[in-house]
Amino acid sequence: MNTDRATRRGRPGYDLPSLLAVAVAVFNERGYEATSMEDLSRRLGITKSAIYHHVASKDELLRLALDRALSGLAEAAEEAAALDGRAIDRLEHLVRRSVHVLVERLPFVTLLLRVRGNTAAERRALDRRREFDHLVGDLVRQAAADGDVRPDVDPAAAGRLVFGMVNSLTEWYRPRGGLDAAAVADAVCAVAFDGLRGRAAAPPP
Amino acid sequence: MNTDRATRRGRPGYDLPSLLAVAVAVFNERGYEATSMEDLSRRLGITKSAIYHHVASKDELLRLALDRALSGLAEAAEEAAALDGRAIDRLEHLVRRSVHVLVERLPFVTLLLRVRGNTAAERRALDRRREFDHLVGDLVRQAAADGDVRPDVDPAAAGRLVFGMVNSLTEWYRPRGGLDAAAVADAVCAVAFDGLRGRAAAPPP
């Protein structure tokens, strides 16, 4: 789309990223299934054919949006897998980087976490989430084998719980709420790896 | 409904709890908005008028379902608030009891956590969730004032993270998966309050 011309006409000009951002906001509000191209056209203030200038279909918008979340998480996973050092430290790195991805791509990850596998794009996204979960499971098991994870918690459950904490950001974190990504990542790692309980309160040995 | 007669006719007989269980399963699969009484009738294998024998509307099914989740959480909250002892122990009690409620009423809490406030019943449910969140926030702040919570984590974020972990059960816990409610509650409390990291791995003082 020629942005200059669109602006001269008094209509908003979109490039693909800005169009995608609006589409994802609408998908999150109304649900992907319940959103029509007509709804998107109304919200964007441009015609359907102007949308089709950027993407072939609503499904392509979904794929692009899910990829934006998944590529961030995949980069975090590759980075963690490539690190030297103990599995527990690679796991902590993965948690920290994942929090950054969630905070920086919050609407995209929110959409990803609501996907239930109704379309090919959704099933592909679920497969990629499953790969990520496997990496988490492998890291927790390796950390447990190293003796770095408390022995009284099932490693599979532990990985789910820690990422349950990370994923809860999509439910309550608001960018304007005060805490920045680094502060949230610190809080998640502090609670997940060392626990909420203040050490000072422990009885003397 | 006269169950004997329904059985004689070769149709399934439902009382309100069994009808509600099926309705909640369908709401969770398809979404509440997208589910019609016609869909419910097909899935239940009974006529719509047989459903109206039990409830006045789809909205009443939603209210009953959300109440089933909320009443469990409200009981857990009252129990925790009435306990003697330190706030951190009341908080741990609340987390433990909440895990039991989630495990025992999983489809109902799953529905509750997806509610976005589109109807009066949903807004009332969100208000009751907010009351619960306030109690959690109060307990964490009190525990922090007692010196029982690590000082480097914002109390509001801490409460959200711990219950993010609890609520993640609706995403991954499966009753036939092996762990029972008590084992899951132990795992959640172990990770949330004392952290995933094995103490044995800590450097000697």
Side-chain angles (χ1 to χ4, degrees):
Chain A
M1 172 183 265
N2 182 321
T3 308
D4 280 356
R5 211 179 58 198
T7 307
R8 271 206 308 276
R9 281 184 191 162
R11 293 193 312 182
Y14 292 98
D15 55 11
L16 183 55
S18 60
L19 186 144
L20 193 59
V22 175
V24 168
V26 180
F27 293 160
N28 282 332
E29 274 170 44
R30 308 173 52 102
Y32 171 74
E33 307 281 347
T35 304
S36 65
M37 286 302 255
E38 188 61 43
D39 295 326
L40 293 180
S41 149
R42 245 196 316 272
R43 178 69 76 89
L44 288 157
I46 60 178
T47 62
K48 281 200 277 182
S49 70
I51 302 178
Y52 288 121
H53 178 78
H54 292 283
V55 290
S57 61
K58 192 176 81 156
D59 188 65
E60 188 178 344
L61 283 170
L62 179 65
R63 266 188 294 124
L64 290 169
L66 296 176
D67 274 349
R68 181 121 179 83
L70 287 162
S71 64
L73 293 172
E75 280 162 33
E78 278 161 33
E79 213 182 282
L83 280 181
D84 288 329
R86 303 178 79 86
I88 189 88
D89 297 324
R90 279 179 282 150
L91 180 66
E92 182 163 346
H93 186 88
L94 181 57
V95 169
R96 189 173 294 278
R97 288 280 292 105
S98 298
V99 170
H100 277 270
V101 172
L102 263 83
V103 166
E104 285 150 20
R105 306 184 185 189
L106 197 62
F108 299 93
V109 182
T110 301
L111 186 67
L112 174 66
L113 295 182
R114 292 187 187 162
V115 150
R116 290 286 171 261
N118 295 323
T119 67
E122 295 192 4
R123 282 187 291 276
R124 189 170 141 266
L126 287 181
D127 284 344
R128 290 180 67 187
R129 275 195 70 187
R130 227 166 271 130
E131 279 172 38
F132 185 89
D133 290 346
H134 283 155
L135 171 68
V136 171
D138 288 346
L139 283 175
V140 179
R141 267 187 302 277
Q142 183 59 52
D146 294 344
D148 290 339
V149 163
R150 48 186 312 136
D152 57 342
V153 174
D154 174 64
R160 298 291 197 170
L161 290 172
V162 169
F163 275 85
M165 204 181 248
V166 173
N167 292 342
S168 78
L169 292 178
T170 60
E171 297 294 328
W172 61 268
Y173 179 74
R174 295 296 167 263
R176 292 162 206 274
L179 295 178
D180 66 11
V184 180
D186 284 345
V188 170
C189 288
V191 176
F193 290 90
D194 295 314
L196 185 64
R197 208 182 294 273
R199 293 294 144 216
Chain B
M1 173 184 264
N2 182 321
T3 309
D4 280 356
R5 212 178 58 197
T7 308
R8 269 206 310 278
R9 279 184 189 162
R11 293 194 311 184
Y14 292 98
D15 54 12
L16 183 55
S18 60
L19 186 145
L20 193 60
V22 175
V24 168
V26 180
F27 292 160
N28 282 332
E29 276 169 43
R30 307 172 55 100
Y32 171 74
E33 306 283 345
T35 303
S36 65
M37 286 300 256
E38 189 61 44
D39 295 327
L40 292 180
S41 149
R42 244 195 317 272
R43 177 70 77 89
L44 289 157
I46 61 178
T47 61
K48 280 200 276 181
S49 71
I51 301 177
Y52 288 120
H53 179 77
H54 293 283
V55 289
S57 61
K58 193 177 80 156
D59 187 66
E60 188 178 345
L61 282 170
L62 179 65
R63 266 189 295 124
L64 291 169
L66 296 177
D67 273 349
R68 182 123 178 80
L70 287 162
S71 64
L73 293 171
E75 280 162 32
E78 278 163 32
E79 215 182 280
L83 279 182
D84 289 329
R86 303 177 80 85
I88 187 89
D89 297 324
R90 279 180 282 150
L91 180 65
E92 181 162 347
H93 186 87
L94 181 57
V95 169
R96 190 173 293 278
R97 287 280 292 106
S98 298
V99 171
H100 278 269
V101 173
L102 264 82
V103 166
E104 285 150 20
R105 306 184 185 188
L106 197 62
F108 300 93
V109 182
T110 301
L111 186 67
L112 174 66
L113 295 182
R114 292 187 188 163
V115 150
R116 291 285 171 261
N118 296 323
T119 67
E122 294 191 6
R123 283 187 291 275
R124 190 171 141 268
L126 287 181
D127 284 343
R128 290 181 68 189
R129 276 195 69 189
R130 226 166 272 130
E131 279 173 37
F132 185 89
D133 290 346
H134 283 155
L135 172 68
V136 171
D138 288 345
L139 283 175
V140 179
R141 266 187 302 278
Q142 183 59 52
D146 294 344
D148 289 340
V149 163
R150 48 185 314 138
D152 56 343
V153 173
D154 173 65
R160 297 290 197 170
L161 290 171
V162 169
F163 274 84
M165 204 181 248
V166 173
N167 292 341
S168 78
L169 292 178
T170 61
E171 296 295 327
W172 62 266
Y173 178 74
R174 295 296 167 265
R176 292 161 207 274
L179 296 177
D180 65 12
V184 181
D186 285 345
V188 170
C189 288
V191 176
F193 290 91
D194 295 314
L196 186 63
R197 209 182 293 273
R199 291 295 144 219

